[in-house]
Amino acid sequence: MKFVLNIDKVFQELLLQEDTDQDKKITKDDNGPKEFVLVDENTKQEAVITGTYHLSNLLQELAQLKEENLSLGEVDLSRIQENPVHRISRKIKDDYWEELTRTIDKKGLTQIIEDEKTSADVARLYVAAKDKQGVAYFQELEKELPNFKVEILPENYSMEYVETLNEKPGILALALEQKTYSLQGVPFVVPGGRFNEMYGWDSYFIGVGLLIDGQVNKAMAIAENFKYQIIHYGKILNANRSYYLTRTQPPLYSSLLIKIAKKKMPSLDWLRSHLETVILEYNTVWMVQGNRLTPTSLNRYKADGIGMPFEVEPGHFDDILEPFAKKYNLPVREFEKQYLQRTVVDAELDEYFVHDRSMRESGHDTTNRLINRCANLNSVDVNSFLYKYEKDVAYLIKEHFDTAFQVGNVVYTSKEWEQKALSRKTKINELCWNEASSMYFDYDFVNHEQFAFEAATTFFPLWAGLCDENQAKKLVEVALPQFIKTGGITGSTKASVANAPKDAPQRQWDYPFGWAPHQMLLWEGLINYNYLDKAQEMVYRWLWLITKNAVDYNGTIPEKFDLEINSHKVFAEYGNVGTEFDYIAKEGFGWVNASYQYGLQILSEELKEKLGELISPDTIF
């Protein structure tokens, strides 16, 4: 049934009555009567809307109509009373992906260069010199857009050169494609909130969600932008801003190709061009000895660059800088300034920031697992991802290229990639598997010992398919219970952070916080090893948390959760993206959106029904 309403009038009355804390949302924290009477302007028929969830839905529907500048508008009561699972999934599919889509072109640039990260008077776009088409296109655009400057990145630029760009930071160009009448940017999907650029590993998980929602072209566009970055910037970037040129992200490009090919087989030429780039990335980014390849024949995260990462907020590193400032008898701000200008050089502090930048390259920024040691670790996560790369390349060559694939003068066979994977699997199990703990630990190749930090990355080998049945059983039966909370798995066990310094910041990738990529990789891993009931349970826990939080908090879908209190109210470094909006959540958060759609694909109909009723996982399991 539809009600015709005076939109502005009802909107203001609803807020006045129900938004008692005046945060422009209706949540369970408001203490209004939680009952509001709607009156149809024409028929004078009444409907009583009750409860936080239904009232917040009403507010969202009204906010949407207000944006259309309607004085009178129709509100559909079925939308107000919609099953929360259907509502969240529908909004992700129909609205959120589109809201999060960007392009680097005439149409799309404004949305990016006018964001909070563009602090200078002039917005800069960096284009690689060898992208001749891009250089020409953007230089023409420079003539049209005010306060916009195109900078050309030279070929074979040094890391010292990249550091000079911090004085004039900007966005990095991505791929263009020829459409009927003009060149247009190849689209990409941003995580949301202040993350208004294309991120490396976020994009893989987002791609999974897009494929589920039938947006194959957009998932393929993500792959196109991965390819562009490898060709023009030498790697898949942490994100496409100038200060990320020194680091990559967890390698998931091949996994995206496999997902795309299984959803809708693209042309063989398309697949060939991307497989070539996957192999190029593997050889030049990951398998260079002394860089990301170590003497153990396993890999590490190892970002380039010197000193503090540019993107952190002022004061973020004060606890690290203070002892060094005392050492040089300088106030902290003055020491920071001189250290950044390299008029003060300190080898110990430089080494700390090598580890810090490498930790950010891992995507796990930050965690006590990697602080001040990341570049010394053959980490379980990167080696699981690279094992999957090797298996994926072997599979693609065998399935689509008749077991042999030529790149230039080199012929690759599926058999040799299988051998690479087998060698890596053997080494991971030798150095990283801990039988006594029933977990995989990162291996410190400098000190020749495992670093026994209990992190959710211990489950990545399940996802990659590199453990044997005994290891899988131990991971599921012994390790997993140590991570499970009502709403999913935590980034680490509670025991692993028990000895963290009391005055140190609470690290957002550790206990008690829960993240979508950890859940998604765990679910797929459980399915790989036929732990189907456990997969159902773990999916249900996470989707319940997302659904309950959205119901209680005006549709909020945040970046991460505190699993100790089952809430998006996270008190850790960096806060929580996706929680700041007025009246209506328009975009959710990229990989959480994806985890919801992916989880619903796995969940049984019976559990979906219980999810819609918000029955606690602890009651069911």
Short mmCIF file of all heavy atoms in Angstrom, two decimals, residues 51-109:
data_model
loop_
_atom_site.label_atom_id
_atom_site.label_comp_id
_atom_site.label_asym_id
_atom_site.label_seq_id
_atom_site.Cartn_x
_atom_site.Cartn_y
_atom_site.Cartn_z
N GLY A 51 8.74 0.92 16.07
CA GLY A 51 10.04 0.28 16.21
C GLY A 51 11.15 0.99 15.44
O GLY A 51 10.92 1.62 14.40
N THR A 52 12.36 0.88 15.98
CA THR A 52 13.52 1.56 15.40
C THR A 52 13.69 1.24 13.92
O THR A 52 13.89 2.13 13.10
CB THR A 52 14.80 1.13 16.16
OG1 THR A 52 14.69 1.55 17.52
CG2 THR A 52 16.04 1.74 15.53
N TYR A 53 13.62 -0.04 13.57
CA TYR A 53 13.91 -0.46 12.20
C TYR A 53 12.93 0.15 11.21
O TYR A 53 13.32 0.75 10.20
CB TYR A 53 13.90 -1.98 12.11
CG TYR A 53 13.99 -2.51 10.70
CD1 TYR A 53 15.11 -2.26 9.91
CD2 TYR A 53 12.94 -3.26 10.14
CE1 TYR A 53 15.19 -2.74 8.60
CE2 TYR A 53 13.02 -3.74 8.84
CZ TYR A 53 14.15 -3.47 8.08
OH TYR A 53 14.23 -3.95 6.78
N HIS A 54 11.64 0.05 11.50
CA HIS A 54 10.63 0.55 10.57
C HIS A 54 10.66 2.08 10.49
O HIS A 54 10.49 2.66 9.41
CB HIS A 54 9.24 0.06 10.98
CG HIS A 54 9.10 -1.43 10.88
ND1 HIS A 54 8.62 -2.20 11.92
CD2 HIS A 54 9.41 -2.30 9.89
CE1 HIS A 54 8.62 -3.47 11.55
NE2 HIS A 54 9.11 -3.55 10.33
N LEU A 55 10.90 2.72 11.62
CA LEU A 55 10.98 4.19 11.62
C LEU A 55 12.21 4.67 10.83
O LEU A 55 12.13 5.66 10.11
CB LEU A 55 11.04 4.71 13.06
CG LEU A 55 9.74 4.55 13.86
CD1 LEU A 55 9.99 4.77 15.34
CD2 LEU A 55 8.67 5.53 13.35
N SER A 56 13.33 3.96 10.96
CA SER A 56 14.52 4.38 10.20
C SER A 56 14.31 4.12 8.71
O SER A 56 14.79 4.88 7.87
CB SER A 56 15.77 3.67 10.72
OG SER A 56 15.79 2.30 10.38
N ASN A 57 13.58 3.05 8.36
CA ASN A 57 13.25 2.83 6.95
C ASN A 57 12.39 3.97 6.40
O ASN A 57 12.59 4.44 5.28
CB ASN A 57 12.48 1.51 6.78
CG ASN A 57 13.38 0.29 6.93
OD1 ASN A 57 14.60 0.42 6.98
ND2 ASN A 57 12.78 -0.88 6.99
N LEU A 58 11.43 4.41 7.22
CA LEU A 58 10.58 5.54 6.82
C LEU A 58 11.44 6.77 6.59
O LEU A 58 11.27 7.48 5.58
CB LEU A 58 9.52 5.81 7.90
CG LEU A 58 8.65 7.06 7.70
CD1 LEU A 58 7.88 7.00 6.38
CD2 LEU A 58 7.68 7.23 8.88
N LEU A 59 12.36 7.04 7.50
CA LEU A 59 13.24 8.20 7.35
C LEU A 59 14.05 8.10 6.05
O LEU A 59 14.19 9.08 5.32
CB LEU A 59 14.20 8.28 8.56
CG LEU A 59 15.20 9.44 8.53
CD1 LEU A 59 14.48 10.78 8.63
CD2 LEU A 59 16.22 9.30 9.65
N GLN A 60 14.55 6.92 5.75
CA GLN A 60 15.35 6.73 4.53
C GLN A 60 14.50 6.95 3.27
O GLN A 60 14.95 7.60 2.32
CB GLN A 60 15.95 5.32 4.52
CG GLN A 60 17.01 5.10 5.59
CD GLN A 60 17.38 3.63 5.73
OE1 GLN A 60 17.86 3.02 4.78
NE2 GLN A 60 17.15 3.06 6.90
N GLU A 61 13.29 6.42 3.28
CA GLU A 61 12.42 6.60 2.11
C GLU A 61 12.06 8.07 1.92
O GLU A 61 12.03 8.56 0.79
CB GLU A 61 11.15 5.75 2.26
CG GLU A 61 11.38 4.24 2.34
CD GLU A 61 12.01 3.65 1.10
OE1 GLU A 61 11.63 4.04 -0.02
OE2 GLU A 61 12.92 2.80 1.24
N LEU A 62 11.80 8.76 3.02
CA LEU A 62 11.50 10.19 2.94
C LEU A 62 12.71 10.98 2.44
O LEU A 62 12.57 11.91 1.63
CB LEU A 62 11.06 10.71 4.32
CG LEU A 62 9.69 10.23 4.83
CD1 LEU A 62 9.53 10.58 6.31
CD2 LEU A 62 8.55 10.85 4.01
N ALA A 63 13.88 10.62 2.93
CA ALA A 63 15.11 11.33 2.52
C ALA A 63 15.33 11.19 1.01
O ALA A 63 15.75 12.15 0.34
CB ALA A 63 16.32 10.78 3.28
N GLN A 64 15.02 10.01 0.49
CA GLN A 64 15.17 9.78 -0.95
C GLN A 64 14.20 10.67 -1.74
O GLN A 64 14.57 11.26 -2.76
CB GLN A 64 14.91 8.30 -1.26
CG GLN A 64 16.00 7.68 -2.11
CD GLN A 64 15.93 6.17 -2.12
OE1 GLN A 64 15.21 5.54 -1.36
NE2 GLN A 64 16.70 5.58 -3.01
N LEU A 65 12.98 10.76 -1.25
CA LEU A 65 11.98 11.60 -1.93
C LEU A 65 12.34 13.08 -1.82
O LEU A 65 12.12 13.85 -2.75
CB LEU A 65 10.60 11.34 -1.33
CG LEU A 65 10.00 9.96 -1.65
CD1 LEU A 65 8.78 9.68 -0.77
CD2 LEU A 65 9.61 9.85 -3.13
N LYS A 66 12.91 13.47 -0.69
CA LYS A 66 13.33 14.87 -0.52
C LYS A 66 14.38 15.26 -1.56
O LYS A 66 14.39 16.38 -2.07
CB LYS A 66 13.92 15.07 0.89
CG LYS A 66 12.93 15.65 1.90
CD LYS A 66 13.57 15.85 3.25
CE LYS A 66 14.46 17.06 3.31
NZ LYS A 66 13.69 18.33 3.19
N GLU A 67 15.28 14.31 -1.86
CA GLU A 67 16.32 14.59 -2.84
C GLU A 67 15.75 14.82 -4.23
O GLU A 67 16.39 15.43 -5.09
CB GLU A 67 17.33 13.43 -2.89
CG GLU A 67 18.24 13.41 -1.66
CD GLU A 67 19.19 12.23 -1.65
OE1 GLU A 67 19.17 11.44 -2.62
OE2 GLU A 67 19.93 12.10 -0.68
N GLU A 68 14.54 14.32 -4.45
CA GLU A 68 13.87 14.53 -5.75
C GLU A 68 13.08 15.83 -5.76
O GLU A 68 12.36 16.14 -6.71
CB GLU A 68 12.94 13.35 -6.05
CG GLU A 68 13.68 12.02 -6.23
CD GLU A 68 12.73 10.83 -6.27
OE1 GLU A 68 11.58 11.01 -6.71
OE2 GLU A 68 13.15 9.74 -5.85
N ASN A 69 13.18 16.59 -4.64
CA ASN A 69 12.51 17.88 -4.50
C ASN A 69 11.00 17.79 -4.70
O ASN A 69 10.37 18.66 -5.33
CB ASN A 69 13.09 18.92 -5.49
CG ASN A 69 14.52 19.27 -5.15
OD1 ASN A 69 14.84 19.47 -3.98
ND2 ASN A 69 15.38 19.31 -6.15
N LEU A 70 10.42 16.72 -4.16
CA LEU A 70 8.98 16.55 -4.25
C LEU A 70 8.31 17.15 -3.02
O LEU A 70 8.76 16.94 -1.90
CB LEU A 70 8.63 15.06 -4.34
CG LEU A 70 9.16 14.30 -5.56
CD1 LEU A 70 8.92 12.81 -5.40
CD2 LEU A 70 8.47 14.81 -6.83
N SER A 71 7.23 17.90 -3.23
CA SER A 71 6.48 18.39 -2.06
C SER A 71 5.52 17.29 -1.59
O SER A 71 5.41 17.01 -0.39
CB SER A 71 5.73 19.67 -2.40
OG SER A 71 4.95 19.47 -3.57
N LEU A 72 4.84 16.66 -2.54
CA LEU A 72 4.03 15.49 -2.23
C LEU A 72 4.69 14.27 -2.86
O LEU A 72 5.16 14.33 -4.00
CB LEU A 72 2.61 15.64 -2.77
CG LEU A 72 1.66 16.62 -2.07
CD1 LEU A 72 0.30 16.62 -2.77
CD2 LEU A 72 1.48 16.26 -0.60
N GLY A 73 4.73 13.18 -2.12
CA GLY A 73 5.33 11.97 -2.68
C GLY A 73 4.70 10.73 -2.10
O GLY A 73 4.04 10.78 -1.05
N GLU A 74 4.88 9.62 -2.81
CA GLU A 74 4.33 8.35 -2.37
C GLU A 74 5.37 7.54 -1.60
O GLU A 74 6.48 7.34 -2.09
CB GLU A 74 3.88 7.52 -3.58
CG GLU A 74 2.55 7.94 -4.15
CD GLU A 74 2.07 6.96 -5.23
OE1 GLU A 74 2.90 6.22 -5.79
OE2 GLU A 74 0.86 6.94 -5.49
N VAL A 75 4.98 7.09 -0.42
CA VAL A 75 5.81 6.17 0.36
C VAL A 75 5.13 4.81 0.35
O VAL A 75 3.96 4.68 0.69
CB VAL A 75 6.01 6.68 1.80
CG1 VAL A 75 6.63 5.60 2.67
CG2 VAL A 75 6.89 7.93 1.81
N ASP A 76 5.89 3.81 -0.06
CA ASP A 76 5.37 2.45 -0.16
C ASP A 76 5.56 1.74 1.18
O ASP A 76 6.69 1.56 1.64
CB ASP A 76 6.13 1.71 -1.26
CG ASP A 76 5.50 0.37 -1.61
OD1 ASP A 76 4.79 -0.18 -0.76
OD2 ASP A 76 5.76 -0.13 -2.73
N LEU A 77 4.45 1.37 1.82
CA LEU A 77 4.54 0.73 3.15
C LEU A 77 5.29 -0.60 3.10
O LEU A 77 5.90 -1.01 4.08
CB LEU A 77 3.13 0.51 3.73
CG LEU A 77 2.37 1.76 4.19
CD1 LEU A 77 1.12 1.35 4.97
CD2 LEU A 77 3.23 2.67 5.04
N SER A 78 5.26 -1.27 1.94
CA SER A 78 5.99 -2.54 1.85
C SER A 78 7.49 -2.32 1.98
O SER A 78 8.22 -3.20 2.44
CB SER A 78 5.66 -3.25 0.53
OG SER A 78 6.19 -2.54 -0.57
N ARG A 79 7.96 -1.14 1.58
CA ARG A 79 9.38 -0.81 1.74
C ARG A 79 9.72 -0.54 3.21
O ARG A 79 10.81 -0.82 3.67
CB ARG A 79 9.75 0.43 0.90
CG ARG A 79 9.88 0.14 -0.60
CD ARG A 79 11.21 -0.60 -0.87
NE ARG A 79 11.29 -1.14 -2.21
CZ ARG A 79 11.78 -0.50 -3.27
NH1 ARG A 79 12.20 0.75 -3.15
NH2 ARG A 79 11.85 -1.08 -4.43
N ILE A 80 8.75 0.03 3.92
CA ILE A 80 8.95 0.31 5.36
C ILE A 80 9.02 -1.00 6.14
O ILE A 80 9.80 -1.13 7.09
CB ILE A 80 7.80 1.19 5.92
CG1 ILE A 80 7.54 2.44 5.07
CG2 ILE A 80 8.06 1.57 7.38
CD1 ILE A 80 8.70 3.35 4.93
N GLN A 81 8.20 -1.94 5.74
CA GLN A 81 8.08 -3.20 6.49
C GLN A 81 8.90 -4.34 5.87
O GLN A 81 8.76 -5.50 6.24
CB GLN A 81 6.60 -3.61 6.56
CG GLN A 81 5.78 -2.64 7.40
CD GLN A 81 4.31 -2.54 6.97
OE1 GLN A 81 3.90 -3.16 5.99
NE2 GLN A 81 3.54 -1.73 7.70
N GLU A 82 9.79 -3.99 4.96
CA GLU A 82 10.56 -4.98 4.21
C GLU A 82 11.41 -5.85 5.14
O GLU A 82 12.01 -5.36 6.11
CB GLU A 82 11.47 -4.23 3.22
CG GLU A 82 12.14 -5.10 2.18
CD GLU A 82 12.86 -4.26 1.13
OE1 GLU A 82 12.99 -3.02 1.31
OE2 GLU A 82 13.30 -4.83 0.12
N ASN A 83 11.49 -7.13 4.82
CA ASN A 83 12.39 -8.03 5.53
C ASN A 83 13.80 -7.44 5.48
O ASN A 83 14.28 -7.07 4.40
CB ASN A 83 12.35 -9.40 4.82
CG ASN A 83 13.32 -10.40 5.42
OD1 ASN A 83 14.52 -10.18 5.47
ND2 ASN A 83 12.79 -11.54 5.85
N PRO A 84 14.48 -7.32 6.62
CA PRO A 84 15.77 -6.62 6.62
C PRO A 84 16.82 -7.25 5.72
O PRO A 84 17.64 -6.56 5.12
CB PRO A 84 16.20 -6.65 8.09
CG PRO A 84 15.38 -7.70 8.75
CD PRO A 84 14.10 -7.75 7.99
N VAL A 85 16.81 -8.57 5.60
CA VAL A 85 17.78 -9.25 4.73
C VAL A 85 17.53 -8.86 3.27
O VAL A 85 18.47 -8.53 2.54
CB VAL A 85 17.69 -10.78 4.90
CG1 VAL A 85 18.67 -11.49 3.95
CG2 VAL A 85 17.99 -11.18 6.34
N HIS A 86 16.25 -8.87 2.87
CA HIS A 86 15.92 -8.49 1.49
C HIS A 86 16.29 -7.04 1.25
O HIS A 86 16.80 -6.69 0.18
CB HIS A 86 14.42 -8.67 1.23
CG HIS A 86 13.96 -10.09 1.37
ND1 HIS A 86 12.63 -10.44 1.51
CD2 HIS A 86 14.66 -11.26 1.40
CE1 HIS A 86 12.54 -11.76 1.62
NE2 HIS A 86 13.74 -12.28 1.57
N ARG A 87 16.03 -6.19 2.23
CA ARG A 87 16.28 -4.76 2.07
C ARG A 87 17.77 -4.48 1.89
O ARG A 87 18.18 -3.75 0.98
CB ARG A 87 15.74 -3.98 3.27
CG ARG A 87 15.89 -2.47 3.11
CD ARG A 87 15.25 -1.70 4.26
NE ARG A 87 15.46 -0.27 4.10
CZ ARG A 87 14.68 0.54 3.38
NH1 ARG A 87 13.63 0.05 2.74
NH2 ARG A 87 14.95 1.82 3.31
N ILE A 88 18.59 -5.06 2.76
CA ILE A 88 20.04 -4.82 2.68
C ILE A 88 20.57 -5.32 1.34
O ILE A 88 21.28 -4.61 0.63
CB ILE A 88 20.77 -5.50 3.85
CG1 ILE A 88 20.38 -4.84 5.17
CG2 ILE A 88 22.29 -5.44 3.65
CD1 ILE A 88 20.80 -5.64 6.40
N SER A 89 20.20 -6.54 0.97
CA SER A 89 20.70 -7.14 -0.27
C SER A 89 20.23 -6.34 -1.49
O SER A 89 21.00 -6.10 -2.43
CB SER A 89 20.25 -8.59 -0.37
OG SER A 89 20.78 -9.20 -1.51
N ARG A 90 18.96 -5.92 -1.46
CA ARG A 90 18.42 -5.14 -2.59
C ARG A 90 19.16 -3.82 -2.74
O ARG A 90 19.50 -3.41 -3.86
CB ARG A 90 16.92 -4.88 -2.36
CG ARG A 90 16.29 -3.95 -3.38
CD ARG A 90 14.82 -3.72 -3.11
NE ARG A 90 14.54 -3.06 -1.85
CZ ARG A 90 14.68 -1.75 -1.63
NH1 ARG A 90 15.10 -0.95 -2.60
NH2 ARG A 90 14.38 -1.23 -0.46
N LYS A 91 19.39 -3.14 -1.63
CA LYS A 91 20.05 -1.84 -1.71
C LYS A 91 21.50 -1.97 -2.19
O LYS A 91 22.00 -1.14 -2.95
CB LYS A 91 19.98 -1.12 -0.36
CG LYS A 91 18.55 -0.64 -0.04
CD LYS A 91 18.48 0.13 1.25
CE LYS A 91 18.91 1.56 1.10
NZ LYS A 91 18.02 2.34 0.21
N ILE A 92 22.18 -3.02 -1.75
CA ILE A 92 23.55 -3.26 -2.23
C ILE A 92 23.52 -3.43 -3.75
O ILE A 92 24.27 -2.78 -4.48
CB ILE A 92 24.17 -4.50 -1.56
CG1 ILE A 92 24.44 -4.23 -0.07
CG2 ILE A 92 25.46 -4.91 -2.26
CD1 ILE A 92 24.78 -5.47 0.74
N LYS A 93 22.63 -4.30 -4.21
CA LYS A 93 22.57 -4.63 -5.64
C LYS A 93 22.11 -3.44 -6.49
O LYS A 93 22.71 -3.13 -7.52
CB LYS A 93 21.64 -5.82 -5.86
CG LYS A 93 21.56 -6.27 -7.31
CD LYS A 93 20.68 -7.49 -7.47
CE LYS A 93 20.63 -7.94 -8.94
NZ LYS A 93 19.80 -9.14 -9.12
N ASP A 94 21.07 -2.76 -6.05
CA ASP A 94 20.45 -1.73 -6.88
C ASP A 94 21.06 -0.34 -6.71
O ASP A 94 21.02 0.47 -7.64
CB ASP A 94 18.94 -1.62 -6.57
CG ASP A 94 18.19 -2.89 -6.96
OD1 ASP A 94 18.77 -3.74 -7.66
OD2 ASP A 94 17.02 -3.04 -6.54
N ASP A 95 21.61 -0.07 -5.52
CA ASP A 95 22.05 1.30 -5.22
C ASP A 95 23.53 1.42 -4.90
O ASP A 95 24.24 2.28 -5.45
CB ASP A 95 21.26 1.88 -4.04
CG ASP A 95 19.76 1.93 -4.30
OD1 ASP A 95 19.37 1.99 -5.48
OD2 ASP A 95 18.98 1.91 -3.33
N TYR A 96 24.00 0.60 -3.96
CA TYR A 96 25.33 0.85 -3.40
C TYR A 96 26.46 0.70 -4.41
O TYR A 96 27.40 1.50 -4.43
CB TYR A 96 25.59 -0.05 -2.20
CG TYR A 96 24.70 0.20 -1.00
CD1 TYR A 96 24.75 -0.62 0.13
CD2 TYR A 96 23.79 1.27 -0.98
CE1 TYR A 96 23.93 -0.39 1.22
CE2 TYR A 96 22.97 1.50 0.10
CZ TYR A 96 23.05 0.66 1.21
OH TYR A 96 22.24 0.87 2.30
N TRP A 97 26.41 -0.35 -5.25
CA TRP A 97 27.50 -0.52 -6.22
C TRP A 97 27.60 0.69 -7.14
O TRP A 97 28.71 1.16 -7.45
CB TRP A 97 27.31 -1.79 -7.05
CG TRP A 97 27.40 -3.09 -6.30
CD1 TRP A 97 26.56 -4.16 -6.41
CD2 TRP A 97 28.41 -3.50 -5.36
NE1 TRP A 97 26.97 -5.20 -5.59
CE2 TRP A 97 28.10 -4.81 -4.94
CE3 TRP A 97 29.55 -2.88 -4.83
CZ2 TRP A 97 28.88 -5.51 -4.01
CZ3 TRP A 97 30.33 -3.56 -3.91
CH2 TRP A 97 30.00 -4.86 -3.50
N GLU A 98 26.46 1.21 -7.55
CA GLU A 98 26.48 2.36 -8.44
C GLU A 98 27.03 3.59 -7.73
O GLU A 98 27.80 4.37 -8.30
CB GLU A 98 25.07 2.64 -8.98
CG GLU A 98 25.00 3.63 -10.13
CD GLU A 98 25.88 3.25 -11.31
OE1 GLU A 98 25.97 2.05 -11.66
OE2 GLU A 98 26.50 4.18 -11.88
N GLU A 99 26.62 3.78 -6.48
CA GLU A 99 27.11 4.92 -5.69
C GLU A 99 28.63 4.87 -5.51
O GLU A 99 29.28 5.91 -5.39
CB GLU A 99 26.43 4.95 -4.31
CG GLU A 99 24.99 5.44 -4.33
CD GLU A 99 24.86 6.94 -4.49
OE1 GLU A 99 25.86 7.67 -4.31
OE2 GLU A 99 23.76 7.41 -4.84
N LEU A 100 29.18 3.67 -5.44
CA LEU A 100 30.62 3.51 -5.19
C LEU A 100 31.45 3.49 -6.47
O LEU A 100 32.68 3.39 -6.40
CB LEU A 100 30.87 2.22 -4.39
CG LEU A 100 30.36 2.20 -2.95
CD1 LEU A 100 30.44 0.80 -2.37
CD2 LEU A 100 31.14 3.18 -2.08
N THR A 101 30.81 3.57 -7.62
CA THR A 101 31.54 3.48 -8.89
C THR A 101 32.13 4.84 -9.28
O THR A 101 31.47 5.87 -9.15
CB THR A 101 30.61 2.96 -10.00
OG1 THR A 101 30.14 1.66 -9.65
CG2 THR A 101 31.33 2.87 -11.34
N ARG A 102 33.38 4.80 -9.74
CA ARG A 102 34.09 6.01 -10.16
C ARG A 102 34.74 5.77 -11.52
O ARG A 102 34.97 4.64 -11.94
CB ARG A 102 35.20 6.37 -9.16
CG ARG A 102 34.75 6.52 -7.72
CD ARG A 102 34.08 7.85 -7.46
NE ARG A 102 33.79 8.02 -6.05
CZ ARG A 102 32.67 7.58 -5.45
NH1 ARG A 102 31.75 6.95 -6.17
NH2 ARG A 102 32.48 7.76 -4.16
N THR A 103 35.09 6.86 -12.18
CA THR A 103 35.92 6.81 -13.38
C THR A 103 36.92 7.97 -13.34
O THR A 103 36.63 9.02 -12.75
CB THR A 103 35.09 6.95 -14.68
OG1 THR A 103 34.26 8.11 -14.59
CG2 THR A 103 34.23 5.72 -14.94
N ILE A 104 38.10 7.76 -13.93
CA ILE A 104 39.07 8.84 -14.07
C ILE A 104 38.94 9.36 -15.51
O ILE A 104 39.56 8.85 -16.44
CB ILE A 104 40.51 8.35 -13.82
CG1 ILE A 104 40.63 7.64 -12.46
CG2 ILE A 104 41.50 9.50 -13.90
CD1 ILE A 104 40.65 8.53 -11.25
N ASP A 105 38.06 10.33 -15.68
CA ASP A 105 37.82 10.94 -16.98
C ASP A 105 37.12 12.28 -16.75
O ASP A 105 36.95 12.70 -15.59
CB ASP A 105 37.00 10.02 -17.90
CG ASP A 105 35.67 9.58 -17.29
OD1 ASP A 105 35.24 10.19 -16.28
OD2 ASP A 105 35.04 8.64 -17.81
N LYS A 106 36.69 12.92 -17.81
CA LYS A 106 36.07 14.24 -17.68
C LYS A 106 34.86 14.19 -16.76
O LYS A 106 34.67 15.04 -15.90
CB LYS A 106 35.66 14.75 -19.06
CG LYS A 106 35.04 16.14 -19.02
CD LYS A 106 34.69 16.64 -20.42
CE LYS A 106 34.07 18.03 -20.34
NZ LYS A 106 33.73 18.55 -21.69
N LYS A 107 34.05 13.16 -16.92
CA LYS A 107 32.81 13.05 -16.14
C LYS A 107 33.09 12.71 -14.67
O LYS A 107 32.46 13.24 -13.76
CB LYS A 107 31.92 11.97 -16.76
CG LYS A 107 30.57 11.81 -16.07
CD LYS A 107 29.76 10.70 -16.73
CE LYS A 107 28.46 10.47 -15.97
NZ LYS A 107 27.74 9.29 -16.50
N GLY A 108 34.07 11.84 -14.44
CA GLY A 108 34.23 11.30 -13.10
C GLY A 108 35.27 11.96 -12.22
O GLY A 108 35.28 11.75 -11.00
N LEU A 109 36.15 12.78 -12.81
CA LEU A 109 37.27 13.31 -12.03
C LEU A 109 36.83 14.21 -10.88
O LEU A 109 37.41 14.16 -9.80
CB LEU A 109 38.22 14.10 -12.94
CG LEU A 109 39.47 13.33 -13.40
CD1 LEU A 109 40.22 14.13 -14.44
CD2 LEU A 109 40.37 13.01 -12.23
#
